[in-house]
Amino acid sequence: ENVYVLNGTTAESCNFETPSTGSLSVTKTVTCAPVNTPACDAIISGTGLPEGQITPNDFNITVTGNNPNPSSFNGSSTAVVVTLDPGPYNVTDIGYPSVSEALSEIFDEFQGISSILGPTPIFSGDCEQILGFSQRANGTIAAGESQTCNIENAIIINAMT
């Protein structure tokens, strides 16, 4: 047994446990282009239409892997911290039906729109977008590791020419 003396006080050695889980901070944003147009203002800030605004909360985020907690939650611009056991994980981003309804409302309400693209998720941070699966990213986390996964949903309004 090891005995340590610190400032005249005797202390026994202690075993420090290494963390058995990792933490993944997931954030979500919604963007619209071109900015400062009536349609994008309605999507981002809700101006002009009572049902046109699209927020991070309109998307369901699912994390799969080794015991993620929470495993499913609404998107948030404030990080949601998911604890999970070491190993590979996937993050999936799916819009609720309210997103399609809001985009339909925007298309019907504002003149001169030829098409609306998106919302297309773009993943960044420690999670990597999976080629061929636009709504999913993956990563690998170690015990005691902290990672981030940022999801931006880009909406592009195309005007008639």
Side-chain angles (χ1 to χ4, degrees):
E1 176 177 340
N2 296 327
V3 176
Y4 299 96
V5 177
L6 177 65
N7 295 332
T9 304
T10 303
E12 292 185 23
S13 66
C14 52
N15 295 325
F16 291 102
E17 291 186 30
T18 56
S20 61
T21 62
S23 64
L24 178 66
S25 296
V26 181
T27 58
K28 173 106 179 122
T29 56
V30 177
T31 62
C32 185
V35 296
N36 299 323
T37 60
C40 280
D41 289 345
I43 289 170
I44 299 301
S45 62
T47 57
L49 284 178
E51 297 179 25
Q53 186 176 13
I54 299 173
T55 68
N57 195 52
D58 292 321
F59 296 83
N60 178 258
I61 311 298
T62 303
V63 179
T64 58
N66 294 322
N67 301 314
N69 184 27
S71 60
S72 182
F73 50 92
N74 287 348
S76 174
S77 57
T78 303
V80 174
V81 178
V82 177
T83 58
L84 62 162
D85 293 340
Y89 63 84
N90 286 317
V91 179
T92 305
D93 172 59
I94 302 291
Y96 289 119
S98 60
V99 173
S100 296
E101 293 164 8
L103 291 176
S104 179
E105 179 83 12
I106 295 292
F107 192 82
D108 291 343
E109 183 66 25
F110 293 97
Q111 301 296 317
I113 296 175
S114 64
S115 64
I116 299 175
L117 302 177
T120 304
I122 301 165
F123 293 86
S124 63
D126 296 302
C127 59
E128 293 184 28
Q129 196 136 11
I130 299 173
L131 293 176
F133 296 93
S134 66
Q135 295 175 309
R136 188 183 305 167
N138 63 11
T140 302
I141 196 163
E145 188 175 15
S146 294
Q147 292 189 356
T148 61
C149 184
N150 306 307
I151 308 166
E152 174 190 342
N153 278 93
I155 299 169
I156 299 171
I157 307 290
N158 291 312
M160 287 186 209
T161 55

